[in-house]
């Protein structure tokens, strides 16, 4: 895991996040325009079933089911109050190198946490299946 991966670093910049919103279902006359979504740190991560899924590039919080009146800044803050990106008081371009490295360290914590949680979930699901299999064998229900 490279914390200074070029593709990853690109998402700190508004223009690169904005480019991900091709095909975004909300455009004019609403609060969750591609511009407002990108300003709030989101990138568009659609799936077949959810064309309006967006994820914060920093804290990795995914949100879907957007409504035209949803304010991306407020939604981001309410669903991920510990996100350091949404709490920034200045533009990325104005950060010192030290501030950027501190921010990147916090981002790595989000990445590690998400990865660990996904692995724990996989392990628990596998353990549940194995337990059911053992019980079947022990009771002769094969």
């Amino acid at each position: 895991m490279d914390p200074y991966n070029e593709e990853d670093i690109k998402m700190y910049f508004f223009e690169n996040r904005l480019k991900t919103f091709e095909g975004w279902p909300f455009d004019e006359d609403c609060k969750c325009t591609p511009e407002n979504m990108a300003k709030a740190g989101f990138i568009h991560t659609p799936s077949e079933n959810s064309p309006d899924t967006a994820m914060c590039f920093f804290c990795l919080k995914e949100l879907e089911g957007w409504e035209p009146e949803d304010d991306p800044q407020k939604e981001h803050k309410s669903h991920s109050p510990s996100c350091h990106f949404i709490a920034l008081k200045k533009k990325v371009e104005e950060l010192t190198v030290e501030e950027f490295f501190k921010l990147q360290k916090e981002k790595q914590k989000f990445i590690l946490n998400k990865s660990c949680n996904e692995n724990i979930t996989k392990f628990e699901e596998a353990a549940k299946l194995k337990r059911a299999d053992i019980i079947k064998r022990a009771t002769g229900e094969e």
Side-chain angles (χ1 to χ4, degrees), residues 5 7 9-10 19 22 27 32-33 55 75 80-82 85 88 92 95 97 101 106-107 111 123 130 136-137 142:
N5 173 311
E7 283 302 307
I9 301 292
K10 282 181 183 179
K19 287 177 192 172
E22 195 172 300
D27 203 2
C32 57
T33 62
M55 177 181 74
E75 292 296 324
S80 189
S82 62
F85 182 80
L88 273 180
V92 170
L95 294 173
V97 172
F101 282 140
E106 293 304 319
K107 182 175 182 195
I111 291 169
F123 176 82
K130 185 54 102 176
K136 266 186 187 175
R137 289 174 188 232
E142 290 185 69

Side-chain angles (χ1 to χ4, degrees), residues 20-83:
T20 70
F21 282 90
E22 195 172 300
W24 180 247
F26 303 99
D27 203 2
E28 294 173 17
D29 299 324
C30 52
K31 289 185 180 178
C32 57
T33 62
E35 291 78 12
N36 289 339
M37 295 294 289
K39 280 179 192 166
F42 289 109
I43 57 174
H44 189 202
T45 55
S47 67
E48 233 175 84
N49 300 340
S50 299
D52 71 339
T53 301
M55 177 181 74
C56 172
F57 86 96
F58 189 89
C59 69
L60 310 178
K61 182 67 175 179
E62 282 188 309
L63 298 176
E64 62 183 330
W66 290 89
E67 300 289 335
E69 65 279 356
D70 288 339
D71 181 326
Q73 293 277 347
K74 287 180 183 171
E75 292 296 324
H76 193 169
K77 285 178 185 173
S78 73
H79 289 279
S80 189
S82 62
C83 180

